[in-house]
Amino acid sequence: MLRRIEFLRATWVIVAAIAVCPAPALAQSAGPAAWQNDLTPVTAADWNYDFAAHLLERAGFGGTPEEIQALAKMTPAQAIARLVRYEGTDVSRLAPFEHSGVHDPGIEPFPPSRPAVTDLAKQTGEALGIKVKPTGNRRLQPVVDKFFYWLRASVLETNRVSYWWANRMVTSPRPLQEKMALFWHGHFAVNEPKVRDYRKLLGELELYEKQGTGNFKDLTVAVAQDPGMLTFLDAGVNVKGAANENFAREIMEMFTMGVGNYTEKDIREAARAFTGWNYVDLRFVVNKDQHDDGEKTFLGKTGRFDGVDVIDIIMQQPVTADYIAGKIYRFFVRQDLSPALQKQLGSVLRDSHYEVAPLLEEIFLSRDFYSSASVGAQIKSPVELAVSTYRKLGLDRVPGVPDFNSATGALGQRLFSPPTVAGWAGGRSWITPGLLLERGNFARDVLFPDINFLPPDRFTGSGEIRSVADRVRQGMDITAATKPDAKSGVMAESNMLADRDEDFNTRYGSFRGWQMAIEKVKPIPRDTAQVNLARMVLAEHPKNTTQAVDYLIRRFMRVPPSDDARRILVSFLDRELGTADISVAQTYLEEPLRLVLHLIMSQPEYQLN
C-alpha cells in the first residue's frame, strides 16, 4: 500500500508541476540568468561536470557518469567538436540493418488497396508477381494473400528498423548523429501507414544519418527526391496539366519557410515545377513527358524552373534560414525564443551557406545554452525518455521487454509513425494525466518486467485474425473458418458480406498474410534489461541510505527533486531495507533499490532535461 501511495503522490506532483512552467532553478549548476540570449561562448573556466552532462542530454540522450566525466575533462570546444564533428569517434562496430528478406520485386509497384490489386489481377491475369489460377475455387486467393502479406511484413520489418535505430541511439559514440536523425524524422515527417514500405523508411533514416549535420539545402533536395517522401506526398499524381499542390505546399509551409511567407500563386507555380518527379521502386526518376517545362513565376523570380530551382530560390529567402535555425534551437534548447535571437541564429546559418554543424556549434558553445532559462526547461519526448533511461542504466542494447515500439507508442511517439506531415507537436503535448501514468508504467516495466508479456511481432492483437487462426487449426475449411460468429461478435458486421465474391476470401487473406509475414520476418530479441543496481550503488561505497539515494538522484536526474521528495525517497528505502546502514542490507539490496529508482523515474523532474 505504501508503494502505491508513493507512486500516486509522484504522479500528482507531476501533474501539478506541468500545470506551470518547469522550474529550471532546480537544475544542477546552471549558468546565471544573465546568460539568457547571450551567444558568447562559454570558457574553460565555466566548464564543469554539470555543463558537460547538460550538453550530453541535449546533444545526445544523456549518459553514464563515466561518459559525462570524459566530456568534462575536455575544453568546451573539444567536447562540442567530439559531438558535432564526431572527432575521435568510431562507429565501425555499429552493425548495418539486417534485412529479413521479406521484399519480392514482383510486389512493385504496390497497389493502393485490396480492390485495386484484385481488379488488376482480373484484368491482366497477374498481380504482385502472382498469376491468377486458371480454374477452381478462389482463383485470386494467392494474390490477396500476397497483398496482405506485404502489408503485415512491412509493418513488422519497420518495427525491426525502429529497434535497430533505437540500439544506435543507446550505443553509438556519436549520439548527436542519432539525435539529429530524430529531429529530421520529425521535421520531414513520413509514416509507415502511408508509405507502406520499410525500405523507403530505412532509406530516409540513412539519409538523415549521413547528412543530418551537413548542408540543409542538399538535404532538402535529397528528401524531396526520396521515394519515401514522394510516396507520402502523392508525387505519382503530380503531372503536367494537373499539378498536385500538396507537395509544393508542404515543402514551403513545413520544411523550409513556415506559414505566411508565400502566396497561393507561389504554391501553384512551385507545384508545376515539381511535376514529373516520381520514383520506380527505390529509384528517383523524372518523367519528362509529365513535367511542366513552361515559364513560372515563383517568389518574384521567373524562369523555366524545376524542383531543384524552386528549392534554390527558397534558400535565398532570409526567412528560410531564420525558420530552420529557430526550429533547430527549439528542439535542442527551449521553446522560448526571442525574435532577435532567432535572427542572430538565422544569420549564422546563412553565413555558413546552410551548413548545419556551425549552427549547432554556435548554440552548444553559447552561454544561452547553459543559462538557467535553458537547463531543465525541456520535457523529454517518449523516445528521449526511453533511450536516456537505457543509457543511464549503462545498457549495451535496447531490451526486448518492454517492447520499445509499444512503450514509446503508448507515450505518444512511435518511430516511423508521426501523426501528420507536421510530425509530433512536442513540448507539453507529451504530458497528460494518462500519459504520466504510462511514463510511470514504462519505468516499472523496465525495472520489473511483465511476466505476462506477449511479443507483438509474434502475436496479433486482432481478435478476428486469431479466431480464424483457431478455426483453421481445428481443421475447418476456409468458408467455415472465416464465417462471422454472431454469438461472440468477433467478426465485424461490415465484413459479413465479404464471402460473396467467390474469387477470394478477404478474411482468410488477412489471416494468411499475417501468418506468412511472421514466417519470414526475423524476430526481435526479447531479453530483459540486464541491470544490477546493487552493484552499481555499492561501487560508490555509500554508508547509509541517504548517500545511496543521493547517488541514484545524481546519476539519473539532471533536475533534482525537491528536498521533501528526497526525504520521502530516503525514508522509503529505510523502511524497505529495515535499516539505514547499507552494509547490513547488502545481500537483499537489489529490489528495494529498484523500487526507489521507479519512484525517482516517476518524479516530475525526471521528465525534464
Side-chain angles (χ1 to χ4, degrees):
M1 182 63 181
L2 177 61
R3 298 175 188 175
R4 178 64 175 165
I5 291 172
E6 294 294 345
F7 177 69
L8 288 175
R9 175 192 174 279
T11 299
W12 287 113
V13 171
I14 295 173
V15 175
I18 301 303
V20 298
C21 289
L26 293 172
Q28 294 181 4
S29 191
W35 282 9
Q36 183 175 349
N37 298 329
D38 184 353
L39 293 182
T40 302
V42 293
T43 67
D46 300 318
W47 195 243
N48 56 42
Y49 180 94
D50 287 319
F51 279 22
H54 173 64
L55 174 64
L56 195 54
E57 287 279 343
R58 297 294 183 82
F61 302 92
T64 63
E66 294 76 19
E67 291 169 330
I68 296 168
Q69 191 61 50
L71 286 181
K73 290 179 179 179
M74 301 178 186
T75 67
Q78 289 170 337
I80 288 158
R82 173 175 284 268
L83 288 169
V84 176
R85 303 287 180 178
Y86 312 141
E87 291 182 4
T89 60
D90 177 18
V91 293
S92 60
R93 66 179 177 81
L94 298 179
F97 178 71
E98 183 181 1
H99 296 261
S100 296
V102 295
H103 185 263
D104 180 347
I107 289 172
E108 302 302 328
F110 191 69
S113 65
R114 197 279 302 152
V117 77
T118 50
D119 288 346
L120 177 64
K122 290 175 183 177
Q123 293 166 9
T124 66
E126 183 177 351
L128 303 179
I130 305 293
K131 291 186 180 295
V132 175
K133 294 194 298 185
T135 61
N137 193 28
R138 298 191 176 90
R139 297 169 55 245
L140 303 182
Q141 192 64 49
V143 174
V144 173
D145 295 350
K146 189 67 171 287
F147 173 80
F148 283 108
Y149 156 77
W150 178 243
L151 290 183
R152 311 296 188 229
S154 179
V155 169
L156 292 178
E157 196 76 337
T158 297
N159 291 342
R160 291 186 65 245
V161 174
S162 297
Y163 249 88
W164 173 76
W165 186 11
N167 273 308
R168 287 181 65 96
M169 294 183 202
V170 169
T171 62
S172 176
R174 299 179 181 176
L176 181 63
Q177 186 175 31
E178 309 308 324
K179 194 71 169 281
M180 281 304 303
L182 184 61
F183 169 77
W184 292 125
H185 177 41
H187 180 75
F188 295 114
V190 301
N191 61 42
E192 199 287 331
K194 180 71 179 287
V195 175
R196 301 195 303 183
D197 187 341
Y198 84 92
R199 302 171 307 146
K200 296 183 176 71
L201 300 170
L202 175 60
E204 283 215 342
L205 172 57
E206 291 173 337
L207 181 64
Y208 303 148
E209 296 265 8
K210 183 179 180 181
Q211 297 183 226
T213 59
N215 188 273
F216 174 66
K217 176 187 172 182
D218 293 344
L219 178 62
T220 302
V221 171
V223 171
Q225 295 179 346
D226 184 82
M229 183 60 72
L230 291 166
T231 302
F232 189 72
L233 293 180
D234 305 306
V237 296
N238 191 25
V239 298
K240 181 179 180 179
N244 177 15
E245 296 178 7
N246 188 35
F247 193 80
R249 183 184 300 275
E250 301 306 344
I251 281 182
M252 285 184 280
E253 179 178 322
M254 304 305 308
F255 302 158
T256 59
M257 300 174 71
V259 178
N261 295 299
Y262 49 84
T263 67
E264 289 298 313
K265 181 181 178 182
D266 289 326
I267 293 173
R268 291 192 295 271
E269 295 292 271
R272 292 174 57 208
F274 286 109
T275 53
W277 281 30
N278 212 323
Y279 62 93
V280 174
D281 197 7
L282 300 180
R283 181 170 54 88
F284 170 70
V285 299
V286 178
N287 297 320
K288 293 184 178 180
D289 59 328
Q290 297 177 352
H291 175 63
D292 184 342
D293 195 36
E295 193 172 80
K296 309 163 188 76
T297 298
F298 174 68
L299 293 176
K301 295 183 180 293
T302 301
R304 296 172 64 181
F305 302 138
D306 65 8
V308 175
D309 296 324
V310 163
I311 292 172
D312 187 58
I313 293 169
I314 288 173
M315 296 298 158
Q316 296 170 24
Q317 311 305 307
V319 70
T320 302
D322 294 349
Y323 176 77
I324 295 302
K327 193 163 184 179
I328 289 174
Y329 178 90
R330 289 186 177 96
F331 181 81
F332 284 102
V333 188
R334 63 177 189 271
Q335 290 296 309
D336 176 26
L337 173 59
S338 70
L341 182 56
Q342 184 165 359
K343 287 285 186 185
Q344 282 184 270
L345 296 170
S347 295
V348 172
L349 189 58
R350 275 191 300 275
D351 292 346
S352 67
H353 307 289
Y354 283 97
E355 292 293 327
V356 174
L359 173 65
L360 295 173
E361 289 173 323
E362 184 86 11
I363 291 172
F364 295 148
L365 272 170
S366 71
R367 287 177 170 179
D368 174 75
F369 182 71
Y370 302 94
S371 71
S372 59
S374 301
V375 178
Q378 274 194 345
I379 298 171
K380 296 175 189 174
S381 74
V383 169
E384 289 174 313
L385 176 72
V387 172
S388 67
T389 295
Y390 295 146
R391 289 193 75 120
K392 290 171 183 177
L393 284 169
L395 301 187
D396 61 1
R397 61 187 178 276
V398 176
V401 183
D403 180 72
F404 180 84
N405 297 306
S406 299
T408 58
L411 297 176
Q413 186 182 33
R414 191 182 184 103
L415 294 176
F416 301 113
S417 293
T420 69
V421 71
W424 293 279
R428 294 189 183 184
S429 70
W430 298 130
I431 300 296
T432 66
L435 291 177
L436 292 171
L437 287 172
E438 287 293 342
R439 287 184 175 230
N441 290 340
F442 164 73
R444 177 202 62 202
D445 289 344
V446 171
L447 298 169
F448 299 95
D450 182 6
I451 63 173
N452 293 319
F453 174 81
L454 291 172
D457 58 330
R458 304 290 105 181
F459 174 81
T460 174
S462 168
E464 180 173 319
I465 293 177
R466 292 202 306 273
S467 178
V468 172
D470 288 342
R471 295 178 182 192
V472 169
R473 285 178 60 82
Q474 292 168 15
M476 294 185 183
D477 60 28
I478 290 177
T479 299
T482 57
K483 184 178 180 181
D485 186 344
K487 292 182 180 179
S488 68
V490 169
M491 303 298 180
E493 188 72 22
S494 60
N495 289 334
M496 292 183 66
L497 301 180
D499 281 333
R500 284 190 174 181
D501 188 341
E502 295 181 353
D503 283 338
F504 59 89
N505 183 302
T506 301
R507 288 191 290 275
Y508 183 78
S510 184
F511 151 72
R512 182 69 181 125
W514 183 266
Q515 189 178 57
M516 293 161 62
I518 289 178
E519 181 182 351
K520 291 278 286 186
V521 176
K522 297 177 186 293
I524 293 170
R526 292 300 173 185
D527 53 337
T528 58
Q530 300 303 296
V531 177
N532 191 323
L533 291 184
R535 183 169 58 199
M536 182 188 298
V537 170
L538 290 173
E540 299 300 309
H541 307 293
K543 295 181 179 179
N544 52 51
T545 50
T546 297
Q547 292 176 356
V549 168
D550 284 345
Y551 170 73
L552 292 175
I553 288 172
R554 183 74 171 169
R555 179 174 182 127
F556 288 94
M557 302 181 78
R558 294 315 315 148
V559 180
S562 66
D563 290 341
D564 182 54
R566 175 176 168 273
R567 283 192 295 270
I568 291 174
L569 290 169
V570 173
S571 296
F572 180 80
L573 184 56
D574 286 345
R575 288 191 292 270
E576 288 297 310
L577 296 178
T579 177
D581 188 340
I582 293 295
S583 64
V584 173
Q586 288 191 38
T587 60
Y588 56 91
L589 191 57
E590 183 65 27
E591 182 173 346
L593 286 178
R594 291 191 180 213
L595 290 168
V596 170
L597 185 55
H598 178 205
L599 291 175
I600 286 174
M601 291 178 178
S602 300
Q603 293 294 307
E605 294 83 3
Y606 189 72
Q607 317 309 315
L608 306 175
N609 67 18

